[in-house]
Amino acid sequence: MKHRPIGIFDSGLGGLTVVKAIQKELPRERLIYFGDTARIPYGNKSPDTIIRYSRQIIRFLISREKVKAVVVACNTSSAWALDEMRKEFKIPILGVIKPGAYAAIEVTRNRRIGVIGTEGTVFSGAYPREIHRLMPKAKVFSRPCPLFVPLVEEGKIAGPVAEAVVKEYLKPLLKEKVDTILLGCTHYPLLKKTIQKVAGKKVKIVDSADETARTLHRNLEIYGVELAGNGGGKYYVSDLSRKFKEHAQRFLGKSINRVEKIFIEKY
Ligand code: DGL
């Protein structure tokens, strides 16, 4: 079992930020990534659709690559599909909500936490639920930021346009005197500098990538950590656009050469 790869998926390429963290934490593991680039965004879709998409992807990862565990790097799928997927599949399936919530309660001092994410993630209430479980007295202020994903996709992560949009969305959270902002979406870590600039130095900006990688490591202690492998892996997508390489580079910080397009609907 331990020599099998780990599957990681997201609605697109944003989940590569989680891959980066896992590569650092578990350098010997072989990682299989699936980015649902044909069906992104998930953030504005209904729970039924998110569950169906997640199921197809996990079926694909298991049947094609025999993965030993799956990391749902997408916040929207973690929010809506994780419980259902855990019931349906036998292998360990990890989401990003719990690790993200943990990262936030670790750094807050005044227990006032802002959570930003897609419409779907915010509407699900998954982050406040998890934060309250860990820190019952926390006050959580959530806000969907639907324009952040297209900004990041277009590479507009800094400058006047990005700053204006970030200001608009953060205004109500900053008014509530949050001392921590949790980036509850795979794309938002790329906007971190701009978010930090708008929020000011006193506000801590956290995301779930590093904590997810650590949680995965702890879970694999039970199921089998690869100790002899050389890392590496493979990337699958459901659509291979002209801009794929540029986007992948932006999220992963290095280029990707092995990539295969898959017709995911058949799984
Ligand atoms: N990957 C999604 C998430 O983390 C963001 C992009 C989308 O809307 O699909 O929620």
Side-chain angles (χ1 to χ4, degrees), residues 10-12 40-44 73-76 118 121 149 184-187:
D10 178 37
S11 58
I40 190 175
Y42 282 14
N44 54 12
C74 178
N75 290 259
T76 313
T118 64
T121 301
V149 169
C185 175
T186 48
H187 282 57

Side-chain angles (χ1 to χ4, degrees), residues 9-15 33 36 39-45 50 72-79 96 117-121 127 146 149-150 153 183-188:
F9 78 88
D10 178 37
S11 58
L13 300 178
Y33 185 80
D36 203 355
R39 304 189 291 195
I40 190 175
Y42 282 14
N44 54 12
K45 294 196 170 70
I50 303 299
V72 184
C74 178
N75 290 259
T76 313
S77 311
S78 294
V96 287
T118 64
E119 298 272 0
T121 301
Y127 271 114
V149 169
E153 296 265 306
L183 309 181
C185 175
T186 48
H187 282 57
Y188 299 1

Side-chain angles (χ1 to χ4, degrees), residues 12-13 15-16 19 23 33 35 233-237 240 244-260:
L13 300 178
L16 291 173
V19 168
Q23 281 175 341
Y33 185 80
K234 190 160 180 196
Y235 299 89
Y236 292 97
V237 288
L240 202 43
F244 171 81
K245 282 217 152 118
E246 184 195 319
H247 283 174
Q249 166 90 35
R250 194 174 296 146
F251 288 109
L252 194 61
K254 57 185 177 196
S255 53
I256 284 176
N257 27 37
R258 282 183 75 197
V259 54
E260 190 179 328

Side-chain angles (χ1 to χ4, degrees), residues 188-222:
Y188 299 1
L190 277 84
L191 279 168
K192 196 168 178 176
K193 277 194 186 141
T194 304
I195 293 172
Q196 187 76 70
K197 188 173 171 193
V198 170
K201 277 198 219 96
K202 287 191 187 140
V203 178
K204 298 253 175 12
I205 315 292
V206 295
D207 67 66
S208 43
D210 291 341
E211 195 52 46
T212 299
R214 282 192 285 270
T215 309
L216 174 66
H217 197 160
R218 278 196 299 277
N219 271 262
L220 289 184
E221 302 283 351
I222 309 164

